[in-house]
């Protein structure tokens, strides 16, 4: 009964009008104490540039028309009313992604204290615009703003005042993709602004994008390990090239469509795609050279490449099989020390092995187009390995 009498007193006898602001006869503006309680980050859409958060505002102000002496009403110190039954500030989301609308809902109640203080806590799923900087994707950090303002009330009538703490993360639940590296709330030009610095968790993209790209880049280089005679060299290089094209499409679908910033990852993949294009072109030229007629002589550069390749192979074989040469040398010495060997044969045995044997063959048998392509395979394998390492170092250094 006391509660009913209190409602009758406030809204019937006093003829309370919700359109009448509490600052009508006051010289000082009504302070709207505000705080932001973040519950969670639902999503950050990089393509649309939209941040979706779940949170509620805590707004508190004084309304002199809704105060009473609690002793007159059996010590009732507070009551609840639907939010649309009392005056409230016209606070709206300034950078909302959808059309402008009032905060809260009809089911939300405001708490009215006996001293005239009103507490309003509108709960919302906020969709706000967020400028995305994709330069360091997927190791990027995005700074998003959630801006609130009073659209109609003038600063001389009502203005925001921060409640300590103005940004509360007590009820915040972590997001699987984004971490909050820093956050703060401030007042700027009579607007209440919440700043969230969101740091992306890169583990998913490392496993699903960067690692496959690097592995495909390594497989691309192994085109030069496959001999031309196998018939698979050209097909292998084209397969690796198409795989890069597919991954570039996947990366582009994950990035926002704008030309203000460019992702280092996209540049890295395009660089590898260009490298793959060059490998396909070089492979096609090698296949063409391999099947050139033997009558056409090799240029000096090809002959030089073959000689270098032969020297490297000879040096490698000496390092791999040192015991075999030692055994031959020992066998030679045993023959020379034999007392039954004629003197002529002993003297002839002192000649180098190369002079005793028949010449390795006509020089033209070594300088063939097939041998030239095999020598180029080794050169291009080393060259593109160095290119791959340089591109990876530049990419990861740019992300620091």
């Amino acid at each position: 009964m006391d509660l009913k009498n209190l409602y009758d007193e406030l809204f019937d006898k006093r003829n309370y009008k919700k359109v009448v602001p509490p600052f009508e006869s006051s010289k000082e503006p009504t302070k709207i104490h505000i705080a932001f309680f973040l519950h969670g980050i639902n999503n950050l859409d990089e393509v649309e540039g939209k941040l979706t958060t779940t949170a509620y505002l805590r707004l508190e102000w004084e309304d002199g028309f809704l105060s009473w002496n609690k002793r007159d009403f059996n010590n009732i110190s507070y009551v609840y009313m639907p939010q649309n039954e009392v005056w409230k500030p016209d606070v709206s989301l300034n950078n909302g992604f959808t059309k402008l609308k009032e905060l809260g809902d009809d089911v939300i109640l405001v708490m009215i204290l006996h001293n005239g203080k009103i507490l309003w806590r509108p709960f919302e799923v906020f969709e706000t615009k967020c400028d995305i900087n994709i330069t360091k994707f997927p190791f990027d950090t995005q700074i998003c703003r959630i801006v609130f303002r009073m659209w109609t009330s003038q600063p001389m009538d009502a203005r925001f005042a921060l409640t300590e703490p103005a940004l509360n993360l007590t009820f915040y639940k972590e997001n699987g993709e984004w971490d909050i590296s820093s956050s703060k709330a401030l007042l700027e030009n009579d607007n209440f602004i919440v700043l969230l610095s969101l740091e992306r968790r890169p583990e998913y993209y490392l496993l699903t994008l960067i690692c496959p790209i690097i592995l495909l880049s390594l497989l691309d280089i192994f085109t030069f390990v496959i001999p031309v005679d196998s018939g698979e060299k050209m097909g292998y290089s084209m397969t690796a090239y198409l795989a890069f094209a597919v991954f570039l499409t996947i990366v582009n679908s994950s990035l926002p469509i704008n030309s203000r910033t460019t992702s280092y990852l996209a540049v890295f993949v395009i660089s590898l795609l260009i490298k793959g294009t060059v490998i396909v072109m070089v492979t096609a030229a090698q296949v063409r050279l391999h099947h050139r007629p033997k009558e056409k002589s090799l240029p000096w550069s090809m002959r030089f490449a073959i000689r270098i390749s032969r020297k490297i192979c000879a040096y490698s074989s000496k390092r791999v099989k040192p015991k075999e040469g030692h055994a031959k040398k020992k066998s030679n010495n045993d023959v020379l020390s034999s007392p039954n060997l004629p003197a002529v044969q002993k003297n002839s045995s002192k000649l180098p092995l190369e002079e005793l044997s028949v010449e390795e063959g006509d020089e033209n048998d070594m300088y063939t187009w097939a041998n030239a392509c095999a020598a180029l395979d080794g050169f291009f394998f080393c060259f593109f390995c160095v290119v791959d390492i340089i591109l990876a170092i530049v990419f990861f250094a740019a992300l620091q």
Side-chain angles (χ1 to χ4, degrees), residues 205-307:
Y205 296 97
L206 283 173
L207 293 176
T208 60
L209 281 181
I210 296 180
C211 286
I213 286 172
I214 293 176
L215 292 176
L216 282 172
S217 176
L218 294 176
L219 289 178
D220 199 11
I221 299 173
F222 275 81
T223 301
F224 300 106
V225 176
I226 302 174
V228 178
D229 294 331
S230 66
E232 299 292 334
K233 193 180 186 73
M234 196 67 198
Y236 180 89
S237 64
M238 284 300 301
T239 302
Y241 179 80
L242 292 175
F244 271 115
V246 171
F247 263 91
L248 181 60
T249 305
I250 296 174
V251 172
N252 286 336
S253 65
S254 304
L255 301 178
I257 304 172
N258 66 67
S259 300
R260 291 180 299 172
T261 57
T262 303
S263 171
Y264 291 143
L265 178 61
V267 175
F268 178 58
V269 176
I270 291 174
S271 301
L272 294 178
L273 191 65
I274 293 173
K275 187 207 72 173
T277 304
V278 175
I279 288 177
V280 171
M281 296 169 62
V282 169
T283 303
Q286 278 187 291
V287 174
R288 179 76 177 178
L289 290 175
H290 182 83
H291 293 93
R292 293 195 74 175
K294 295 181 179 180
E295 296 79 25
K296 293 187 176 182
S297 60
L298 273 72
W300 68 270
S301 57
M302 294 290 188
R303 293 172 178 266
F304 179 75
I306 292 173
R307 286 198 298 270

Side-chain angles (χ1 to χ4, degrees), residues 154-209:
Q154 298 299 317
M156 71 279 299
D157 297 327
R159 60 174 55 191
F160 289 124
L162 296 181
T163 302
E164 294 298 333
L167 176 59
N168 195 305
L169 301 178
T170 304
F171 307 106
Y172 175 72
K173 295 181 180 179
E174 291 188 356
N175 183 272
E177 186 178 359
W178 297 94
D179 276 333
I180 298 180
S181 57
S182 64
S183 59
K184 65 178 180 178
L186 53 92
L187 294 177
E188 184 179 290
N189 298 326
D190 296 318
N191 294 332
F192 176 66
I193 301 174
V194 177
L195 291 176
L196 297 176
S197 180
L198 306 178
E199 186 176 352
R200 190 192 302 271
R201 299 175 187 262
E203 291 81 4
Y204 172 79
Y205 296 97
L206 283 173
L207 293 176
T208 60
L209 281 181

Side-chain angles (χ1 to χ4, degrees), residues 384-396:
F384 285 108
C385 277
V386 173
V387 171
D388 247 11
I389 294 172
I390 292 175
L391 289 177
I393 291 174
V394 171
F395 169 63
F396 285 106

